[in-house]
Amino acid sequence: LIFVNGTITNSSDVQSRVSNINIIVAVVGNYNVMTIIPFMFSHKALFYRERASLTYSGYAYAISCQLVEDPYIFVEVALVVICFYFLSGFVTDPIWPFFYYWVLFWVFIMLSTFVGFLFSVALPTTGSAQICATLYVQVFSLFSGVVVPPNQIPDYLIWIYYISPQRWVQEGMITTQFNFILDPICVPFGTPYVINEAEECSNIPGKANTTFYAGEGNSIRFCCDAGQQGFSARDYVFDEFLGGPNGYKYEWRVWDFLYLFGLLLVVRMLGVVLSHNISYNKR
């Protein structure tokens, strides 16, 4: 509720909104990875018995298990996005970032669910599957680009950042939001002082000598306290906080979707194949 109709005036306000997206992605993704594992193991004994009696193949079982999850995931994502998006005060003009946010989040949550499914069919016990799932969640969350910004990740570990599904979903969500947020901010702290065309920051006591600009076309002219730097919220995210050679890019929003969707297809197919070919049944 603190973000509804809230103002963005400094780097803390921007980072709070970025962290807001990071938290909802991590929490819901982690929930879906972990909760499907004990559910799948509770059915394994029945599956082994019925497969041994040639009731159905492992392919049919795995495909049906995946398909039955789809409507539940859709309802879950709809409830989360509709409630969370507007309460967080995200962009509504234009409206397409809302639908992009919804679709991208839906694909990511399906991917998280079926990664948990994959661990449950590939490993022999609930404990081993949950340990691997925890490692998957923690490592990819750490290297997603928000907890540790991209420009601070060592070169020899940057490959983890680029394969992390959470990195791609967050890039799409964050950049499509902040591309339209042009509020003037002062970094690191302070409140921007908006001036008109006739004023100059150098003539205002306590303000920096530089006049900063935010926005496009009719740019907003503003001042910050001495020793601070001015940005638009968009420029601060793209050029400073999550910027750099390996930073988040608005231009990659289509690739964000394609990467997650392609990975989702691979994980689902791999889950089906392993369900048919792997058995830990012991007589």
Side-chain angles (χ1 to χ4, degrees):
L1 293 177
I2 63 173
F3 294 110
V4 178
N5 297 323
T7 57
I8 298 177
T9 61
N10 54 53
S11 58
S12 294
D13 294 333
V14 172
Q15 292 173 18
S16 295
R17 283 160 174 77
V18 170
S19 297
N20 204 21
I21 294 175
N22 171 255
I23 289 170
I24 198 67
V25 167
V27 169
V28 181
N30 181 50
Y31 173 83
N32 279 55
V33 170
M34 302 303 294
T35 54
I36 194 173
I37 291 174
F39 174 78
M40 291 302 302
F41 273 94
S42 68
H43 293 76
K44 270 201 171 183
L46 178 63
F47 165 60
Y48 287 147
R49 186 186 68 185
E50 294 185 345
R51 186 173 67 172
S53 63
L54 302 180
T55 304
Y56 46 72
S57 69
Y59 293 125
Y61 171 78
I63 292 172
S64 62
C65 285
Q66 292 183 358
L67 291 177
V68 79
E69 292 292 333
D70 288 336
Y72 291 100
I73 297 171
F74 179 82
V75 172
E76 175 192 12
V77 170
L79 292 174
V80 171
V81 171
I82 291 172
C83 295
F84 175 79
Y85 190 92
F86 297 104
L87 284 176
S88 297
F90 287 154
V91 171
T92 55
D93 183 21
I95 194 60
W96 71 260
F98 165 71
F99 294 103
Y100 177 87
Y101 186 106
W102 188 338
V103 171
L104 198 66
F105 191 58
W106 182 23
V107 173
F108 174 74
I109 295 304
M110 283 197 293
L111 173 60
S112 299
T113 303
F114 296 120
V115 165
F117 176 88
L118 181 62
F119 285 132
S120 69
V121 301
L123 296 165
T125 64
T126 305
S128 61
Q130 289 180 327
I131 289 173
C132 290
T134 301
L135 183 64
Y136 162 86
V137 169
Q138 296 298 326
V139 170
F140 285 147
S141 179
L142 178 63
F143 288 92
S144 64
V146 172
V147 178
V148 181
N151 56 9
Q152 296 181 19
I153 298 176
D155 291 340
Y156 62 89
L157 293 176
I158 199 67
W159 62 273
I160 306 177
Y161 165 77
Y162 277 109
I163 67 172
S164 169
Q166 193 168 329
R167 171 251 186 268
W168 294 90
V169 68
Q170 288 176 175
E171 179 181 59
M173 289 179 170
I174 291 170
T175 58
T176 53
Q177 290 299 309
F178 279 93
N179 188 63
F180 301 99
I181 301 177
L182 304 175
D183 302 48
I185 67 170
C186 293
V187 178
F189 302 107
T191 301
Y193 182 83
V194 179
I195 59 177
N196 58 40
E197 293 294 331
E199 293 180 299
E200 293 294 336
C201 295
S202 58
N203 298 327
I204 301 174
K207 300 300 179 183
N209 292 327
T210 304
T211 301
F212 301 108
Y213 296 85
E216 296 176 342
N218 296 322
S219 298
I220 301 171
R221 303 175 74 246
F222 67 99
C223 310
C224 293
D225 293 339
Q228 298 185 358
Q229 191 171 5
F231 296 90
S232 68
R234 179 184 66 183
D235 291 343
Y236 174 69
V237 171
F238 291 171
D239 299 337
E240 297 290 324
F241 180 42
L242 299 177
N246 296 311
Y248 286 6
K249 297 176 178 61
Y250 175 72
E251 295 78 13
W252 286 14
R253 61 193 181 279
V254 175
W255 292 109
D256 296 328
F257 171 79
L258 292 177
Y259 177 83
L260 291 171
F261 187 74
L263 192 58
L264 170 63
L265 294 179
V266 171
V267 168
R268 292 187 74 147
M269 290 188 291
L270 191 58
V272 170
V273 172
L274 294 184
S275 291
H276 182 77
N277 292 284
I278 292 180
S279 175
Y280 293 103
N281 187 31
K282 295 181 180 180
R283 297 183 180 276

